[in-house]
């Protein structure tokens, strides 16, 4: 594995942590639009990682980093507070984000057929 590829995966992991932290705050603040925005951010990061890196790991790395960040944010603080609000939205965010991450990481990579860029039949 080359250094630029490792750097790309590191950037995707940092992006996963940032999207997880931002989504944890946004999903409860602007319900239901914030929830949709947070889930779209996860989907965009994971699917974009697959397309940019050209491998399934491009979707798995940000999905894994997102999952670790979100699960760490669900643990209680010493004061007894949670970052997530109680309600259906936080569960949809947790489970939906994990589902989206797994779905993007397991997408089949269909190679494009070789050929020219000209139109067919000419």
């Amino acid at each position: 594995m080359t250094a630029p590829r490792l750097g790309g995966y590191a950037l995707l992991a940092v992006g996963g942590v940032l999207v997880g932290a931002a989504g944890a705050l946004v999903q409860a603040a602007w319900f239901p639009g914030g929830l949709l925005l947070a889930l779209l951010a996860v989907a965009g990061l994971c699917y974009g990682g697959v397309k940019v890196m050209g491998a399934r790991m491009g979707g798995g790395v940000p999905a894994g980093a997102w999952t670790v960040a979100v699960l760490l944010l669900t643990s209680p603080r010493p004061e007894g507070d949670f970052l997530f609000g109680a309600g259906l939205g936080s569960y949809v965010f947790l489970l939906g984000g994990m589902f989206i991450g797994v779905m993007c990481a397991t997408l089949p990579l269909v190679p494009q057929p070789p050929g020219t860029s000209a139109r067919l039949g000419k």
Side-chain angles (χ1 to χ4, degrees), residues 9-10 12-21 42 45-47 49-50 56-73 94 97-106:
Y9 286 131
L12 286 172
V14 169
V17 170
L18 292 176
V19 166
V42 174
L45 179 67
C46 292
Y47 186 71
V50 169
R56 289 184 183 144
M57 193 194 293
V61 168
W66 179 91
T67 302
V68 169
V70 169
L71 289 178
L72 287 175
L73 290 173
L94 289 169
M98 288 180 194
F99 177 74
I100 289 170
V102 168
M103 190 171 61
C104 289
T106 57

Side-chain angles (χ1 to χ4, degrees), residues 5-6 16 23 38 64 86 122:
R5 197 163 208 34
L6 281 175
K122 292 236 173 190

